[in-house]
Amino acid sequence: MKKENRKKYLTTTGILIIINLLLINIYISFGYYYENASLSLIKATVGNMYLEEYDYVLLVYLENMDSTGNGNGKYRLGDEIPTLGYNYSGYKCQNNSTLIYDEETKTTSVTIEKKEVCSVYFDVIGSMDLSVQIMLEDNPGSNTYTISERIPAYGYKYSYYECANDGTLEYNSELHTVKLSSSTKEHCSIYFTQESSDIKVNLYVEETYQMGDYIERISIPSNINYVLNETKSVCINNNNERTDTDITYEDGYINIESSEIISCSIYLDKENE
C-alpha cells in the first residue's frame, strides 16, 4: 500500500472507530436511565443516603401520631410502605414522573427516563381504636427515642411500654409480635434500648423452608420461628479479615460478642413447622 493510501486508510478507520464508540455510549446511556419498575418496598432500599447511588429512589413519609393515636400533620421518613394503620394520601416526584400506588398489594410502580426521586405520603387512620408506636433509643444510655416502623432484629432490647388509658401490652420476643388489650380506645408506645453501635449487621432470612432462598431484611418477620445458620453467618473486621466471633440467636434476638468494630452477615433459617 502506498504511503498516501495508507494514511487515508488509517484516517478512515479512526473515524469509524470513533463513530462506533459514540453509538455504543449513546445506547448504554439510554439503557441506564430508562426503567419501568414495579417493586415491593420491603425488598427495596430507601433513604436520602442513596440518592447518588441509584437511578431511582423511593422515599416513604409517614404521619406522626399524637398521644391519643391521631395524626398530627407532621411526617417522618419511614423505611417501608405500611400495611396497617395508614391511608395513602399522595406522591411527589422531583422530575414529574408518574407514580401509581396499588392499595391491594401495597406496592408502587413508576416509569422513569432519567434519575428520579419520588416521595409517597401516608396519613394516620384517625378512627383506629387500638394503636402501637415502636420507639428505639437513639444511642446507648441516651434515654431519647425515635419512632420506628418495625421491631429491630439486632442491637436493641425490649425495655418497657406506656399506654394512654391503662391498656395491657404483651411483647413476644421470639415471634416479634405485640398484643394490646384494652376495653377502650387505646394508644401505646413500646420502648427498646440500644445495646451496641460498633457492630453492623446485614440480615438474610430464608423465605422457604430448607430451600436456601435468602432475602435481605431489616427486621425479622413476625409469627415465624427461625434458627441461626452457623455455617453461613460470618463477621469481618476493618481489614476484611474473618473474625472468630461468638454469634447466637436466642429469644428472637441476634447476639454478637465482640471487642472490635466488625461487620456481620447473619443468616436465619426457617424452623420446621
Side-chain angles (χ1 to χ4, degrees), residues 40-99:
S40 172
L41 191 58
I42 200 169
K43 297 179 182 178
T45 305
V46 298
N48 288 311
M49 68 289 293
Y50 298 104
L51 297 182
E52 297 299 326
E53 185 177 349
Y54 294 98
D55 290 340
Y56 172 61
V57 174
L58 180 64
L59 304 177
V60 179
Y61 287 96
L62 307 176
E63 188 180 22
N64 290 330
M65 296 181 185
D66 59 22
S67 60
T68 65
N70 294 311
N72 63 7
K74 297 180 180 179
Y75 294 83
R76 68 185 183 281
L77 182 62
D79 51 20
E80 71 172 14
I81 291 176
T83 56
L84 294 173
Y86 292 86
N87 281 327
Y88 170 72
S89 60
Y91 78 93
K92 183 178 181 180
C93 294
Q94 288 185 5
N95 292 312
N96 299 317
S97 297
T98 300
L99 181 144

Side-chain angles (χ1 to χ4, degrees), residues 68 171 206 217 220 231 237 241 246:
T68 65
Y171 171 59
E206 188 179 38
R217 298 290 299 267
I220 300 173
T231 303
N237 58 24
E241 300 169 336
D246 184 21

